[in-house]
């Protein structure tokens, strides 16, 4: 990284969950879109909201853009890297926090995928209806208001998301 102060602070916080490896950066340089991949300066792998908040504060302080990255199934180009920024992979945030089957709602972390959630919901006789055709993460699906084959009956992500934890 060009910014050695930021690099050292991220290394102190994340240890081996901070990578400047060209191979790692290439894996997080874009989605399934038509655009040429762009490698960010580094990839970080936070595991909780506090780490995301701290990384966001550091990057804001150093004027470094952040690209959030889920499963990489995006067709819109929103996970394309930024040569002057970092990519924040959400893959360590893959937990289903709670399921309230009586109210047909649940709390999940950003990297939980639709297949993962439906596997958990199946035994309760309920399901998550949004199916964009890929095993996308719910965070990415929320960011793009994903829909799918059942959108006419059940709506899009815009209509099924009841609340978010937003870290600025």
């Amino acid at each position: 990284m060009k910014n050695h102060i930021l690099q050292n602070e991220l290394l102190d916080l994340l240890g081996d969950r901070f990578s400047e490896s060209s191979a790692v950066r290439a894996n997080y340089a874009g989605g399934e879109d038509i655009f040429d991949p762009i490698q960010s300066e580094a990839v970080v792998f936070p595991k909780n909201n506090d780490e995301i908040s701290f990384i966001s504060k550091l990057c804001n302080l150093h004027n470094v853009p952040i690209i959030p990255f889920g499963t990489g199934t995006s067709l819109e180009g929103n996970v394309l890297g930024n040569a002057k920024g970092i990519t924040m992979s959400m893959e360590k945030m893959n937990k289903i926090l709670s399921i309230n089957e009586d109210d047909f709602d649940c709390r999940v972390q950003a990297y939980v995928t639709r297949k993962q959630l439906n596997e958990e919901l199946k035994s309760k006789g309920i399901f998550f209806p949004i199916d964009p055709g890929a095993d996308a993460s719910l965070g990415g699906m929320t960011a793009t208001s994903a829909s799918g084959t059942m959108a006419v009956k059940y709506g899009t992500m815009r209509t099924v998301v009841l609340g978010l934890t937003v870290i600025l």
Side-chain angles (χ1 to χ4, degrees), residues 50 84 125 138 160 167:
D50 290 337
K84 295 181 180 181
L138 273 68
V160 302
I167 300 169

Side-chain angles (χ1 to χ4, degrees), residues 32 47 79 101 104 136 154:
E32 294 181 12
K47 60 182 179 183
V79 296
E101 58 197 87
F104 300 107
Y154 296 105

Side-chain angles (χ1 to χ4, degrees), residues 29-39 74-81:
E32 294 181 12
D33 51 55
I34 61 167
F35 305 106
D36 291 334
I38 299 173
Q39 289 189 18
S74 167
L75 300 174
E76 297 86 2
N78 55 311
V79 296
L80 200 59

Side-chain angles (χ1 to χ4, degrees), residues 13-64:
L13 173 69
L14 302 168
D16 64 354
R17 292 181 291 120
F18 170 86
S19 180
E20 295 177 282
S21 157
S22 181
V24 171
R25 292 178 3 218
N27 285 337
Y28 298 89
E32 294 181 12
D33 51 55
I34 61 167
F35 305 106
D36 291 334
I38 299 173
Q39 289 189 18
S40 295
E41 287 194 74
V43 181
V44 296
F45 301 87
K47 60 182 179 183
N48 57 49
N49 290 348
D50 290 337
E51 286 184 352
I52 292 173
S53 179
F54 190 74
I55 293 164
S56 298
K57 285 176 189 174
L58 285 175
C59 288
N60 186 48
L61 179 69
H62 294 282
N63 201 28
V64 173

Side-chain angles (χ1 to χ4, degrees), residues 32 69-76 78-79 90-91 93-94 108-118 128 130-148 157:
E32 294 181 12
F69 194 98
T71 58
T73 59
S74 167
L75 300 174
E76 297 86 2
N78 55 311
V79 296
M90 304 309 292
E91 68 191 65
M93 297 193 60
N94 62 354
V108 301
Q109 291 182 320
Y111 195 79
V112 170
T113 65
R114 66 175 189 84
K115 286 182 182 176
Q116 177 187 357
L117 180 58
N118 273 324
F128 177 73
I130 310 300
D131 181 4
D135 193 21
S137 65
L138 273 68
M141 291 170 63
T142 301
T144 60
S145 191
S147 59
M157 287 299 284

